[in-house]
Amino acid sequence: NLENLVNLDNLAMSQNMLTGRIPTFIGKLTRLEGLYLSGNKFIGEIPGSIGNITHLSVLEMRGNVLDGSIPVSLGNCTRLQGLDLSHNRLTGVIPEEVFGLSSLTYNLNLAHNLLSGPLPSVVVKLKNLGSLDISNNRLSGELPVSIGDCQFLEFLSLQGNVLNGQIPESLDGLMSIQLLDLSRNNFYGIIPQTLASSFHYILYLNLSFNF
């Protein structure tokens, strides 16, 4: 009967032992601003109907057993400020529609999944994002130069992928960065000297286990 709660603002069910699939009727709760399903044992795919909840500002599903791809329909959630799908078994590429959510300000966490493919160049649209964690996946290709335009990023964690190419000098645009972890990838070449003069607030920098 949850689908009848059409005026619900927040739904919090985190840290239980709930099982089964996330029902498609979740998309009927169109007034939800917060949906918290982390720390359960949900399986299967994230229903595409979640894109109908256009008022969402926070979506947390970390620490389940979700698989399949990240639904493109999340791009409809243009008020989303925080998205955490980490510690699941999600596969496929990261949809450009997710990186196109300029509303994201708090965090975007897709760490510890099985995501593959390159990091979309539209990451430039995350100009107001504070924390980006896509560590421990299977991402490949070069780091897009446009990531340097995310000047409010304080936390950027990309370790444990198969990213390659040179570390772009455009990273000197990350003027607010405090933690930068590019370790355990296939980066090569020189470390841009501009980083030394631009990272005024850096507390943690890890470039180990590269080439």
Side-chain angles (χ1 to χ4, degrees):
N1 292 328
L2 275 175
E3 62 183 305
N4 298 323
L5 305 179
V6 292
N7 293 316
L8 202 62
D9 290 328
N10 284 276
L11 179 58
M13 294 183 168
S14 297
Q15 307 304 321
N16 284 289
M17 298 185 69
L18 299 173
T19 59
R21 298 175 180 270
I22 298 172
T24 57
F25 71 66
I26 200 75
K28 293 183 179 180
L29 307 181
T30 55
R31 296 193 181 184
L32 278 182
E33 296 179 5
L35 178 56
Y36 307 90
L37 303 177
S38 297
N40 284 288
K41 297 182 179 180
F42 288 119
I43 62 170
E45 298 185 356
I46 300 172
S49 62
I50 207 160
N52 298 332
I53 314 176
T54 54
H55 285 78
L56 266 183
S57 60
V58 179
L59 175 59
E60 294 185 357
M61 294 183 172
R62 68 178 179 274
N64 283 285
V65 201
L66 298 170
D67 56 27
S69 57
I70 298 173
V72 173
S73 61
L74 275 177
N76 298 330
C77 301
T78 54
R79 300 184 184 184
L80 205 58
Q81 297 177 31
L83 175 61
D84 191 344
L85 305 177
S86 62
H87 294 270
N88 281 288
R89 298 177 182 175
L90 299 173
T91 58
V93 300
I94 303 172
E96 290 191 359
E97 289 79 2
V98 172
F99 276 96
L101 287 170
S102 58
S103 59
L104 286 169
T105 53
Y106 177 54
N107 77 319
L108 173 56
N109 192 344
L110 306 175
H112 292 274
N113 280 288
L114 302 171
L115 299 168
S116 58
L119 197 60
S121 59
V122 290
V123 67
V124 65
K125 294 188 177 181
L126 300 177
K127 289 184 177 180
N128 299 312
L129 186 64
S131 175
L132 177 59
D133 189 350
I134 353 177
S135 60
N136 296 291
N137 280 284
R138 299 174 179 176
L139 298 177
S140 59
E142 297 187 0
L143 200 57
V145 173
S146 57
I147 199 169
D149 292 330
C150 301
Q151 56 182 334
F152 291 107
L153 267 183
E154 297 179 356
F155 182 101
L156 177 58
S157 184
L158 302 175
Q159 82 267 20
N161 285 285
V162 283
L163 297 167
N164 56 40
Q166 298 193 28
I167 298 173
E169 291 190 6
S170 64
L171 286 184
D172 63 2
L174 303 179
M175 302 175 63
S176 303
I177 200 73
Q178 297 182 31
L179 181 149
L180 176 60
D181 195 337
L182 304 180
S183 64
R184 294 188 290 117
N185 279 286
N186 294 327
F187 292 116
Y188 59 83
I190 63 172
I191 299 172
Q193 294 183 1
T194 53
L195 302 188
S197 58
S198 303
F199 289 175
H200 300 295
Y201 304 104
I202 195 75
L203 300 174
Y204 180 90
L205 175 62
N206 193 347
L207 306 176
S208 61
F209 296 98
N210 281 286
F211 292 103

